[in-house]
Amino acid sequence: MRAAVIFAAFAAPPACAISTTMFNTRIKIKDVLATEPAEQQVTVMGWVRTFRNNQFVALNDGSTNQNLQVVLTLGEFPDDLLRRITTSASLKVSGTLVPSLGKGQQVELKAVTVDILGESDPEKYPLQPKKHSLEFLREKAHLRFRTNTFGSVFRIRHSLAFAVHQFFHNKGFLYLHTPIITASDAEGAGETFHVSTLPAGNPPRNEDGSINYAEDFFGRATNLTVSGQLEGELGATAFGEIYTFGPTFRAENSNTARHLAEFWMIEPEMAFCDLEDNANLAEEFIQYLIRFVMENNADDLEFLRTRLLDEEKMKPQAERSDLDLVQKLQFVVDNKFERITYTEAIDILLQSSHYKKKKFQYDVKWGIDMQSEHERYLVERHFKKPVIVTGYPKEIKAFYMRQNEDGKTVAAMDILAPGIGEIVGGSQREERLDRLETRMGEMGIPTEELWWYLDTRRFGTVPHAGFGLGFERMVQFVTGMGNIRDVIAFPRTPKNAEF
Ligand code: 4AD
Ligand code: MG
């Protein structure tokens, strides 16, 4: 009986169910531009980029950088309306789709009705219809999506996020949501943001003067996560293969073009997996993401390619790259990544004329945590392609990495990319309980607090491995944007949390 009623409702919708709202008739400009013009009636909505000669509106709705030319026949629209068509005003236009007489586009919209949805005072609107510097646009991050550069960057960012899920879903990985508030510092680097509801000026104290977190919201000290890995390992040792994709937070005071205090990271974690499997997966993953964007965002890539060529023209010949953006991406998907050990990397640096001519600012010797100048030398000057470096000294890596038999190195891997430096950090994990506990002891990491993590090693431990891909660094690599602040919508960096 119930089913019949529902069926009836679907079969004969009451008249009022047919929506008459204004938005349901809208066609996206990207789709309009791909349509063969045959005098169809269409409605578009968007923001004015430019308005010329009281006749030609370049309308953009964010679906593509290509504007739709809307033609207002002279004399058909009142002056009062024409005056209100200004840059960034929002319009609803209905009209007829016709072949375009102007160059640069196949179709244009001959306007029949024009509604101004929202005016924009040209005296006050902060962006001019001209090129602004990226630095200037960072101060106007609330409006920069309305520029071509940021339109392209954020559509590509979206595609990359979608491709991340598609890649892992197709491989049977489970998407695990790891917590954002945690009591652990996964990387053990102490660069966490505290989360507390205690009164900042006057927190309750223990007898020894330390803060009494027992009275805090969670009854203990907590912080924003720096990595979902430890919880990811719990998932992997049950589901086999999981990945996380979420925001992570680091209170490191690094004011560089590659660091954010809030960034997004993708962390796959695989049981029954060693370092080589891990490196293979990371390489396949990066190539998949790039290929996805090349196939699905060709116009946006083309826009960024040209943008970058223009930017390079300002540089001296010697500093310009041999390959343009699209050629660079093609090269990365067509060629295997280089694989070397940390020890080999240090040897290459020591043998380099760059080192001999004392051109590195930081010293090179076995045991150093390579600086960005060293990493970039390896990928940009020496190998000219992405490089997977394995077997780092245990002293410079996290407690959970699997110890190699030499007693000096761990089964770590970093992937270094041209123009970026480190884009992936990962490792095979120490699955042997005794070794892990010993290393934690040496590094001063309290085993009692991580009892739940150690339980994976107590109950059916397995060889396992994983890595973290910095999502913004990946977006930088694909878009060619030089500064990480320009590939995340609202960057969080030291002394900056506007918007
Ligand atoms: O090398 P990291 O610190 O590795 C981890 O967090 C591991 N738990 C990952 C794992 O094995 N599951 O960070 C991983 C990546 C780096 O290679 C880099 O791309 C990015 O995260 N990253 C940052 N990106 C932007 N801003 C920062 N401050 C970043 N710190 C790391
Ligand atoms: Mg790292």
Side-chain angles (χ1 to χ4, degrees):
M1 191 57 214
R2 247 189 99 125
V5 172
I6 292 168
F7 181 74
F10 272 110
C16 65
I18 297 163
S19 168
T20 51
T21 58
M22 63 194 289
F23 293 104
N24 67 346
T25 53
R26 168 167 102 92
I27 301 183
K28 294 220 174 178
I29 287 176
K30 186 178 182 185
D31 299 326
V32 172
L33 292 174
T35 305
E36 200 61 50
E39 313 250 320
Q40 305 91 319
Q41 299 303 303
V42 302
T43 297
V44 295
M45 298 179 204
W47 293 267
V48 175
R49 283 284 171 92
T50 56
F51 185 35
R52 287 187 295 121
N53 301 347
N54 268 348
Q55 285 179 79
F56 304 108
V57 180
L59 196 71
N60 190 283
D61 68 358
S63 57
T64 163
N65 277 348
Q66 254 64 60
N67 301 320
L68 175 66
Q69 169 148 292
V70 176
V71 182
L72 278 63
T73 307
L74 278 176
E76 279 190 12
F77 295 88
D79 285 349
D80 164 57
L81 179 107
L82 298 179
R83 265 197 300 278
R84 295 160 64 217
I85 303 180
T86 55
T87 297
S88 245
S90 49
L91 306 187
K92 172 186 179 185
V93 184
S94 298
T96 318
L97 212 56
V98 296
S100 177
L101 302 176
K103 54 178 180 353
Q105 72 258 335
Q106 296 225 320
V107 293
E108 61 188 30
L109 185 65
K110 200 166 166 310
V112 176
T113 62
V114 175
D115 294 329
I116 299 195
L117 302 176
E119 294 178 0
S120 171
D121 181 344
E123 300 295 318
K124 295 192 181 137
Y125 182 60
L127 306 186
Q128 304 305 315
K130 63 159 201 182
K131 222 178 157 129
H132 289 291
S133 74
L134 297 172
E135 291 77 13
F136 173 84
L137 291 171
R138 245 170 256 151
E139 311 276 304
K140 309 276 180 277
H142 58 308
L143 296 170
R144 66 181 178 167
F145 300 129
R146 298 188 191 187
T147 66
N148 283 338
T149 299
F150 289 93
S152 290
V153 166
F154 283 94
R155 279 187 296 272
I156 288 176
R157 185 180 164 113
H158 162 80
S159 274
L160 283 168
F162 182 79
V164 165
H165 291 296
Q166 185 162 288
F167 177 82
F168 287 116
H169 177 77
N170 288 349
K171 283 191 175 294
F173 282 56
L174 181 138
Y175 179 26
L176 189 69
H177 293 98
T178 51
I180 288 173
I181 299 175
T182 101
S184 70
D185 170 4
E187 294 304 300
E191 291 165 333
T192 58
F193 288 100
H194 299 296
V195 176
S196 174
T197 53
L198 294 177
N202 183 26
R205 304 259 174 203
N206 297 313
E207 275 174 13
D208 64 2
S210 60
I211 295 174
N212 181 6
Y213 287 107
E215 291 192 24
D216 205 347
F217 189 90
F218 296 105
R220 61 195 301 175
T222 50
N223 52 267
L224 295 178
T225 187
V226 295
S227 157
Q229 179 194 320
L230 301 190
E231 291 88 354
E233 287 183 52
L234 309 180
T237 49
F239 296 110
E241 295 172 319
I242 65 93
Y243 70 105
T244 72
F245 185 1
T248 48
F249 307 86
R250 297 199 183 173
E252 49 188 335
N253 197 6
S254 306
N255 245 312
T256 79
R258 320 259 172 263
H259 287 89
L260 291 166
E262 174 178 305
F263 65 98
W264 288 67
M265 186 156 50
I266 298 122
E267 295 186 274
E269 189 70 33
M270 295 77 68
F272 321 112
C273 179
D274 67 11
L275 189 64
E276 192 178 339
D277 300 322
N278 200 24
N280 291 345
L281 183 79
E283 179 170 344
E284 184 188 343
F285 178 43
I286 289 174
Q287 290 178 327
Y288 180 91
L289 294 181
I290 295 173
R291 225 177 273 119
F292 188 93
V293 169
M294 293 180 85
E295 284 165 14
N296 293 283
N297 297 79
D299 341 346
D300 285 320
L301 266 189
E302 177 53 27
F303 175 83
L304 293 169
R305 184 186 79 86
T306 318
R307 183 195 159 272
L308 216 58
L309 287 178
D310 288 345
E311 199 179 86
E312 292 234 313
K313 282 186 196 142
M314 315 281 192
K315 292 186 188 166
Q317 191 76 39
E319 285 174 31
R320 297 184 200 166
S321 32
D322 311 333
L323 304 180
D324 72 21
L325 178 65
V326 175
Q327 289 167 329
K328 177 189 85 174
L329 297 176
Q330 189 67 49
F331 180 85
V332 173
V333 296
D334 286 345
N335 290 281
K336 294 222 68 71
F337 294 6
E338 197 66 39
R339 297 190 188 197
I340 58 170
T341 63
Y342 169 88
T343 304
E344 286 163 344
I346 294 294
D347 283 342
I348 290 168
L349 294 174
L350 288 173
Q351 298 304 320
S352 68
S353 62
H354 210 77
Y355 174 76
K356 290 176 183 156
K357 290 185 192 151
K358 300 197 169 20
K359 285 196 186 159
F360 288 123
Q361 193 190 337
Y362 294 90
D363 194 20
V364 181
K365 61 171 192 271
W366 200 94
I368 59 159
D369 198 358
M370 279 190 275
Q371 297 293 319
S372 138
E373 56 171 352
H374 305 134
E375 298 178 337
R376 293 185 67 169
Y377 179 87
L378 290 171
V379 284
E380 285 160 34
R381 304 271 210 116
H382 191 83
F383 290 110
K384 297 191 191 308
K385 51 152 74 170
V387 179
I388 308 182
V389 184
T390 55
Y392 282 79
K394 66 177 183 192
E395 277 74 24
I396 58 170
K397 290 291 185 189
F399 72 92
Y400 50 71
M401 297 192 181
R402 193 174 198 278
Q403 295 156 55
N404 288 331
E405 293 315 314
D406 61 13
K408 292 192 303 191
T409 60
V410 285
M413 73 170 193
D414 276 6
I415 302 186
L416 314 178
I420 305 289
E422 181 189 334
I423 194 164
V424 162
S427 67
Q428 185 170 338
R429 318 306 187 191
E430 183 54 82
E431 84 283 11
R432 298 162 295 189
L433 181 63
D434 53 337
R435 300 276 195 120
L436 183 57
E437 283 180 328
T438 308
R439 189 72 191 130
M440 289 171 80
E442 286 166 5
M443 294 179 72
I445 293 171
T447 46
E448 325 76 65
E449 273 177 32
L450 288 178
W451 62 272
W452 47 271
Y453 180 71
L454 293 171
D455 263 6
T456 55
R457 275 64 169 175
R458 289 191 183 102
F459 307 119
T461 193
V462 284
H464 64 290
F467 63 84
L469 171 73
F471 187 57
E472 283 74 22
R473 293 192 187 174
M474 187 66 205
V475 182
Q476 272 192 284
F477 187 70
V478 174
T479 58
M481 297 300 283
N483 196 310
I484 201 163
R485 294 168 176 83
D486 297 329
V487 299
I488 187 163
F490 304 107
R492 300 290 178 250
T493 52
K495 303 276 178 281
N496 176 31
E498 189 70 58
F499 309 108

